[in-house]
Amino acid sequence: VGDIHGMVQSLERLLEKIDADIGQTEAEAPVLVFVGDYIDRGDHGADVLYRVADLAYQMPQNVICLMGNHEKMMLDFLDRPREKGRRWLRNGGLQTIASFGVRGLVAESAEDDVLADLSARFRDALPDGLADWMRAMPLSWNSGTLWVAHAAMNPAKTPEEQSEQSLLWGNASFFEVERADGLWVAHGHTVVEAAQAAGGRISVDTGAVFGGVLPAAAIRPSGAVTFLQA
């Protein structure tokens, strides 16, 4: 599932289509993998986090929630608001904070002490355990010749050698160089016009929060890929 960015209604419609697809194909032990970026920019980041966290809690063997760079920025804001807060607020953090009911939001250029106060109030508004659950999100997931990461994988390195920077923020060679080991990487982060599978990459961020659709790639054991969207 591609980058949701607070688009909870699109998520619900897509989950219905995924359920129908699983039922039609009679998939055995299907795994639902979210590529991250549940929050920011859209207005319902909290609702999206609650929904995917509940799915993961109810079906821990079947639902994988990867970390995206926006989750990382949120956690950095909680830990180091003075140093990291402004970057997150510039990239949609204000919408996420508001979705948790925090009032009296501040400007992105606020003074350090104001950012620290906002971070403390935001922490108090988070349900118990939610931030810890987010900190434990994996950076990648693997099944056979398929790897899933939020942003990219460096084609010059094995999956086990990937840096957090590449997995969360991207890699300059990812779209230019096809992997030589036959692995496929499904990812979000970089907005494409339409979900696609080509060149060892399965791209599933089509800018839902910017007016695009929210896609999911249905990847079969045979290697066949079809796309659903909402």
Side-chain angles (χ1 to χ4, degrees):
V1 177
D3 303 36
I4 304 166
H5 281 302
M7 304 295 288
V8 71
Q9 293 182 345
S10 297
L11 172 61
E12 293 297 349
R13 291 194 297 268
L14 184 60
L15 289 174
E16 290 180 1
K17 293 187 176 184
I18 291 171
D19 283 343
D21 183 75
I22 291 172
Q24 291 169 1
T25 57
E26 298 182 348
E28 296 183 8
V31 180
L32 181 61
V33 185
F34 294 95
V35 301
D37 279 10
Y38 314 99
I39 57 172
D40 297 351
R41 298 186 174 135
D43 292 332
H44 302 285
D47 291 335
V48 171
L49 276 179
Y50 297 154
R51 186 69 166 104
V52 298
D54 183 63
L55 286 171
Y57 176 77
Q58 297 293 339
M59 298 177 287
Q61 302 303 315
N62 303 92
V63 177
I64 307 297
C65 297
L66 299 183
M67 182 180 290
N69 64 307
H70 282 261
E71 286 73 53
K72 175 61 174 172
M73 285 191 287
M74 177 188 137
L75 295 172
D76 285 345
F77 174 68
L78 291 173
D79 295 338
R80 293 184 289 167
R82 292 175 172 85
E83 297 133 335
K84 300 292 187 178
R86 293 177 183 84
R87 178 176 68 170
W88 185 48
L89 298 184
R90 284 195 303 270
N91 285 280
L94 287 172
Q95 288 93 326
T96 297
I97 292 172
S99 75
F100 281 92
V102 177
R103 304 305 174 199
L105 300 181
V106 303
E108 298 165 9
S109 58
E111 296 294 328
D112 285 355
D113 289 348
V114 176
L115 291 174
D117 175 71
L118 179 61
S119 176
R121 289 191 290 120
F122 179 50
R123 183 189 302 276
D124 290 342
L126 294 175
D128 289 345
L130 183 64
D132 290 337
W133 175 73
M134 293 173 68
R135 292 181 195 281
M137 286 176 170
L139 299 181
S140 64
W141 179 83
N142 163 247
S143 177
T145 57
L146 171 69
W147 283 81
V148 187
H150 173 64
M153 282 191 170
N154 184 341
K157 295 185 177 182
T158 68
E160 293 78 12
E161 295 173 325
Q162 299 296 315
S163 68
E164 180 180 289
Q165 177 70 23
S166 290
L167 295 171
L168 290 181
W169 294 93
N171 178 271
S173 300
F174 181 61
F175 288 100
E176 305 297 329
V177 180
E178 189 171 339
R179 296 192 67 88
D181 51 15
L183 299 179
W184 282 73
V185 180
H187 70 98
H189 187 67
T190 300
V191 176
V192 294
E193 185 173 346
Q196 56 190 292
R201 295 173 292 271
I202 303 173
S203 305
V204 291
D205 182 2
T206 53
V209 74
F210 302 121
V213 299
L214 178 61
I219 305 169
R220 318 297 179 187
S222 65
V225 182
T226 58
F227 294 100
L228 311 172
Q229 66 181 43

